[in-house]
Amino acid sequence: MVSKINDVRQQMQQLYQSFERGENFDSLPDDLTDLKLSVKYATRRTKVVPRTEGTIENLQAVLKKITTEIINGDDDAEISNEDLFLLLKNSGSLSEALRDRGIFFTVSSLMNRGVLHEEQIWPALQYLSQDEVLFDHILEPENDAIFGRSMAVLLCSVFLVADQVYGGVLSQDEYWHVIEQISLYIILEQDARGFVPDHGWAHAFTHVGNVLSEATESRLSRAQKLFFLTSVMIAYQQAGQSFSFGEDQRIANSTLALADKEQFYAKYLVRIFKIWPLRTPTDPQTSGADFWVKWYNRTHYFLNLMVVPDLPQILIDFIKKLPEY
């Protein structure tokens, strides 16, 4: 599995290097689609051991202590490196209460209150974006590791917001490392579930949309932003599951955030759109469910764009020309 992931990583790095030089500007959407479709997944899953550390009692005590300080508006509130990483290292918990309503909301509150230290941002992102966390069981059939993978992406978005709030703590190379890893992640991810009974939110595509929105405001180069945008859109186009928990809206809004920046980005988004009907099933009679899943995902995405006020005219013109099927 590690060698397969590294092979895809190397191909994506080569595609980006060519894109940065302007050699595959027109073909990148097709190139990434070919790469996405070439990924070989395992036919059987292996046992998932949730990513946790320490005891639940200790974790709950840390969450309670931090939450109390935040609620009380304690001016001296802070979080030690040890406590912060205890939260991060338990973000793969299968407990919705601990993962979604505990760890995520606590880390978000720390960021919103300005309690995080600047020197904690990059180490946190290094941990969350490492292969062992981000690609855990990713090449296997639908499995419980999705909750840890997806939560890592969501927490990355929080720390990227913190970077902006704190005035640009990350270097461009550090920022790009995170985005490059998440670009690879979304090309590999095949679990598009939303809310899962008993375990809470998977929501991988929504969380990647959060990162894309944040990257729009970053110091990344045009080539880096467009490469990430293309990776996200190709993954969305090729998703094999119906989006029914707001993923289409999140992805539409995040791609539009970049397209609104300048006409150059809007034109490239249209370039990505143009391959959509060419690289997805075209006949409902022969493709069956796969056709309808991809058709409705595409339709809902464009419907979410069309309700946005002041949508760039180039996008309106393209969407109006789309065939019914």
Side-chain angles (χ1 to χ4, degrees), residues 29 50 58 60 74 81 93 116 128 143 145 155 168 214 227 252:
N58 186 33
Q60 289 174 329
D74 189 345
N81 292 337
S93 171
L116 293 172
L128 293 166
N143 59 77
L155 289 172
E214 191 54 34
F227 188 84

Side-chain angles (χ1 to χ4, degrees), residues 37 47 88 206 321:
L37 295 177
K47 182 179 179 181
L88 300 185
T206 295
K321 294 177 182 178

Side-chain angles (χ1 to χ4, degrees), residues 63 67 95-106 151:
L63 286 169
T67 302
S95 166
E96 178 194 4
L98 287 176
R99 187 187 67 250
D100 296 345
R101 289 178 281 140
I103 294 169
F104 168 66
F105 282 113
T106 299
M151 180 54 63

Side-chain angles (χ1 to χ4, degrees), residues 229-241:
L229 170 69
T230 309
S231 300
V232 174
M233 286 305 301
I234 295 308
Y236 183 94
Q237 289 176 15
Q238 295 300 327
Q241 294 169 278

Side-chain angles (χ1 to χ4, degrees), residues 154-178:
L154 181 58
L155 289 172
C156 278
S157 73
V158 174
F159 284 100
L160 291 176
V161 171
D163 169 68
Q164 181 181 357
V165 170
Y166 287 28
V169 176
L170 302 174
S171 70
Q172 184 163 334
D173 286 343
E174 290 169 342
Y175 205 113
W176 175 238
H177 169 78
V178 177

